[in-house]
């Protein structure tokens, strides 16, 4: 197990620790022995589809749900049996949960008032929090007089003003329109960096997760499938589920075979794929993943290409994606269509040759 102490007695190495945490509702296992650590000041996102366990993980951190088994620690202290109001956390809900009859200033100061903070100090901290979220001068407005983005900032200021050990964000951007959501991503990242607070964010939106996070915890069916930086998850997905979730277009089931001194993956009786990297033994059932950007589409066959997987096929559909188009190609001997990206100004039609390098082939466990 990882050493949990920092050098020279400076405190715990991790702001958050979850150890073998499970949650069972009746006969349904929502979380299955998940473990992870979050370092002080990190912005970590729980990412995954609906029902994957990400919100349950957040609720267990907050104390709104009790784990069936396992332990949760915040700044070195076990909080598994501690009620939410003793955990020193700030939380922003998807609905913002503002008091409609209170001004923005009173909403922000509510937590301080409950903690009996002196009025002068409370007024100072509220104004500092409003300034941090860009709402200076709007403290006297009621929620109904604020835009969606401004209401979200009030909720964020209310969570930050109490100076919690941990900030929890439960899909706070989902109620905003696309343009405002993009703007608020930048603001949220700025605020988190300036405050330095350890933050846990929950979302099903991978673009939000990739743009905001220091690290991502990608979940499915109550398990952590992969944890790492945005770059690590994007460039090196570890399983078929991860590749599928982050949008790898070409996913083909197959089996590893020996071809002389090389390993190949057979995806149909007549088609094998060359790969430079394969950690599976011959006979293993696997999933082949190839990104659409790595697929080369040519109107003329190139049978002499070395180190490439080359297939003849026909374009059956073209999907416009702005500067590029996604071409779906039906290839001989392959049951599924393959997708290639081409410039929107140079979209071929009819018969084509599709190819990709052997090092573009990712061979993964099929856990979808």
């Amino acid at each position: 197990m990882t050493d949990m102490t920092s050098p020279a007695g400076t405190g715990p190495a991790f702001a958050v620790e979850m150890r073998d945490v499970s949650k069972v509702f009746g006969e349904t296992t929502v979380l299955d022995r998940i473990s992870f650590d979050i370092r002080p000041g990190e912005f970590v996102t729980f990412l995954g589809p609906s029902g994957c366990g990400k919100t349950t993980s957040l609720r267990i951190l907050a104390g709104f749900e009790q784990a069936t088994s396992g332990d949760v620690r915040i700044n070195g202290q076990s909080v598994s049996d501690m009620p939410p109001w003793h955990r020193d956390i700030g939380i922003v809900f998807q609905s913002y949960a503002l008091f409609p009859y209170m001004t923005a200033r009173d909403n922000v100061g509510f937590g301080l008032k409950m903690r009996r903070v002196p009025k002068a100090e409370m007024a100072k901290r509220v104004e500092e929090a409003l300034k941090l979220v860009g709402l200076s001068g709007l403290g006297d407005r009621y929620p109904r007089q604020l835009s969606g983005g401004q209401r979200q900032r009030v909720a964020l200021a209310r969570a930050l003003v109490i100076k919690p050990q941990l900030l929890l964000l439960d899909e706070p951007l989902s109620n905003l329109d696309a343009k405002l959501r993009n703007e608020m991503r930048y603001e949220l990242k700025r605020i988190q960096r300036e405050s330095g607070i350890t933050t846990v964010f929950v979302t099903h939106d991978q673009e939000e997760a990739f743009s905001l996070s220091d690290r991502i915890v990608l979940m499915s069916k109550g398990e952590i499938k992969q944890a790492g930086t945005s770059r690590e998850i994007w460039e090196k997905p570890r399983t078929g589920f991860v590749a599928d979730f982050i949008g790898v277009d070409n996913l083909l089931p197959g089996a590893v075979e020996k071809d002389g001194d090389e390993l190949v993956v057979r995806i149909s009786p007549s088609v094998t794929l060359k790969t430079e990297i394969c950690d599976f033994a011959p006979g293993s059932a696997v999933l082949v993943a190839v990104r659409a950007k790595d697929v080369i589409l040519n109107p003329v066959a190139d049978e002499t290409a070395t180190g490439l997987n080359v297939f003849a096929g026909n374009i059956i559909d073209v999907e416009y994606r702005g500067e590029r188009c996604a071409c779906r190609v039906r290839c001989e001997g392959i049951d599924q269509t393959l997708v290639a990206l081409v410039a929107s100004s140079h979209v071929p039609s009819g018969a084509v040759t599709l190819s990709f390098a052997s090092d573009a082939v990712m061979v993964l466990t099929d856990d979808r």
Side-chain angles (χ1 to χ4, degrees), residues 11-268:
F14 300 111
V16 174
E17 302 159 46
M18 293 188 84
R19 292 283 174 266
D20 295 320
V21 171
S22 294
K23 180 64 180 179
V24 179
F25 291 104
E27 296 182 357
T28 303
T29 299
V30 180
L31 294 178
D32 188 8
R33 298 182 304 246
I34 67 167
S35 296
F36 62 89
D37 305 313
I38 300 174
R39 292 182 288 271
E42 262 196 309
F43 192 120
V44 172
T45 297
F46 292 160
L47 173 66
S50 178
C52 72
K54 59 186 185 295
T55 298
T56 301
S57 299
L58 189 84
R59 290 179 62 81
I60 288 174
L61 275 177
F64 300 148
E65 296 282 357
Q66 178 129 15
T68 304
S69 61
D71 188 34
V72 178
R73 303 178 74 86
I74 296 178
N75 283 341
Q77 180 182 10
S78 178
V79 297
S80 296
D81 298 320
M82 188 180 292
W85 53 90
H86 287 161
R87 294 194 181 198
D88 194 15
I89 59 171
I91 186 164
V92 178
F93 299 98
Q94 183 177 347
S95 62
Y96 312 147
L98 299 179
F99 298 112
Y101 53 85
M102 289 186 181
T103 63
R105 180 176 290 105
D106 290 339
N107 265 285
V108 173
F110 182 78
L112 298 177
K113 185 177 181 180
M114 292 298 99
R115 287 165 173 78
R116 302 183 187 279
V117 173
K119 288 185 177 181
E121 182 184 349
M122 181 169 67
K124 179 183 177 182
R125 286 170 62 175
V126 167
E127 292 308 316
E128 288 174 348
L130 288 171
K131 181 179 180 181
L132 179 64
V133 300
L135 291 179
S136 295
L138 299 181
D140 291 329
R141 294 190 183 182
Y142 289 88
R144 65 179 179 275
Q145 298 172 309
L146 299 171
S147 68
Q150 289 170 334
R151 288 196 294 271
Q152 186 217 43
R153 291 170 193 240
V154 172
L156 185 57
R158 182 177 61 185
L160 290 170
V161 75
I162 62 174
K163 298 182 180 178
Q165 297 183 86
L166 180 64
L167 177 64
L168 305 179
L169 304 172
D170 185 11
E171 301 209 46
L173 306 181
S174 60
N175 289 333
L176 305 179
D177 61 55
K179 183 175 183 297
L180 186 54
R181 194 159 59 240
N182 288 336
E183 293 174 358
M184 285 308 303
R185 279 184 209 154
Y186 169 79
E187 286 301 309
L188 187 56
K189 192 168 186 176
R190 175 189 65 79
I191 292 165
Q192 193 271 338
R193 293 293 185 267
E194 288 185 13
S195 65
I197 189 171
T198 305
T199 301
V200 178
F201 183 80
V202 163
T203 185
H204 62 275
D205 187 321
Q206 62 170 286
E207 190 174 341
E208 284 181 4
F210 277 55
S211 63
L212 285 169
S213 312
D214 295 316
R215 282 191 302 145
I216 294 170
V217 177
L218 183 50
M219 302 182 68
S220 174
K221 299 177 182 178
E223 298 179 351
I224 295 175
K225 291 297 184 178
Q226 187 168 346
T229 65
S230 301
R231 183 178 294 275
E232 287 169 347
I233 290 176
W234 177 258
E235 294 184 355
K236 296 181 179 179
R238 292 179 185 168
T239 74
F241 167 80
V242 177
D244 192 17
F245 188 82
I246 66 174
V248 176
D249 289 284
N250 300 304
L251 299 170
L252 304 169
V256 177
E257 293 185 356
K258 190 88 168 174
D259 183 12
D261 293 332
E262 298 180 342
L263 290 176
V264 297
V265 181
R266 183 168 297 281
I267 59 172
S268 78

Side-chain angles (χ1 to χ4, degrees), residues 312-353:
N314 287 276
I315 294 179
I316 62 170
D317 187 49
V318 177
E319 177 185 337
Y320 180 73
R321 296 184 182 179
E323 293 182 357
R324 291 188 172 189
C325 284
C327 299
R328 292 196 173 273
V329 182
R330 176 74 69 186
C331 295
E332 297 174 10
I334 302 178
D335 292 336
Q336 296 174 232
T337 58
L338 298 179
V339 180
L341 292 180
V342 300
S344 296
S345 57
H346 295 86
V347 179
S349 60
V352 294
T353 296

